[in-house]
Amino acid sequence: SELIIGEAAVREHMKGLFPDWRAPGVSACLHEHRGGFAYSTDAVQGLAQNARKLASGLRAQGLEPGTSVGLILPNIPQFAEALYGSWINGNVVVPMNVLLTAPEIRYLVDDSAIRALFVFEMFLPQVEAAIADMPQPPKVFVIGNAGKHTAYAALIQGQQPAPARESSPDEH
């Protein structure tokens, strides 16, 4: 990944990928080397800020580096925040298909030793069925109506952004 900052630099980079590209005012681009994802500077900074707050929230919830977390999220901004925030905290991220059934979710939670799940509210019924009889179910953070679980917004609210952390080869 590379982050390109500055309207002129983004324009030049994106035109190299897509000759007819036009998006005036785009001042930052996160390039994943499979194509360009264009965002404004404010959006990239907001994503980074929320990811760092999420990392602090995860640590406050007792999720130490090396702990597995699952993502059952569609293509929404919180997916990127949860992914990067978990990585900043040193967690192992297990993305899951949103169409998984409860038994499939249960298998992945058990097999990957998942201790926390980020879930979009639409998929909460499958998650609740998957973890219902677990002796130590994972913590569930919900984007949307959280019910008895922790709301994603509450996880990052009031958190100070986590500082950058160095990882060691022993963690991987």
Side-chain angles (χ1 to χ4, degrees):
S1 297
E2 68 180 295
L3 181 61
I4 298 126
I5 303 287
E7 193 170 338
V10 170
R11 183 174 39 256
E12 180 180 329
H13 177 78
M14 292 302 286
K15 283 200 173 262
L17 296 171
F18 310 103
D20 60 346
W21 188 80
R22 287 182 186 85
V26 175
S27 55
C29 174
L30 180 62
H31 184 187
E32 294 288 339
H33 300 284
R34 291 173 295 192
F37 302 98
Y39 297 96
S40 69
T41 301
D42 291 343
V44 171
Q45 289 173 344
L47 179 131
Q49 183 82 346
N50 282 346
R52 291 176 57 222
K53 285 182 177 184
L54 182 101
S56 292
L58 291 173
R59 187 59 62 95
Q61 290 283 327
L63 295 163
E64 297 295 324
T67 304
S68 295
V69 299
L71 307 181
I72 305 177
L73 301 171
N75 187 14
I76 57 175
Q78 290 88 347
F79 182 95
E81 292 173 5
L83 177 70
Y84 287 110
S86 297
W87 283 344
I88 290 167
N89 193 46
N91 299 116
V92 176
V93 178
V94 182
M96 296 185 215
N97 188 311
V98 297
L99 300 178
L100 291 176
T101 63
E104 293 167 327
I105 293 169
R106 173 66 179 257
Y107 173 81
L108 289 170
V109 168
D110 285 339
D111 190 60
S112 302
I114 291 172
R115 298 293 172 248
L117 286 166
F118 290 94
V119 181
F120 190 68
E121 71 176 312
M122 178 187 299
F123 311 113
L124 191 55
Q126 294 93 306
V127 169
E128 288 179 330
I131 66 173
D133 62 346
M134 293 182 78
Q136 293 183 331
K139 296 175 185 212
V140 178
F141 307 115
V142 183
I143 289 93
N145 183 2
K148 64 181 180 180
H149 304 288
T150 303
Y152 177 86
L155 185 63
I156 63 175
Q157 187 174 16
Q159 294 292 336
Q160 292 298 315
R165 76 184 262 310
E166 296 292 323
S167 64
S168 74
D170 298 334
E171 290 182 42
H172 303 285

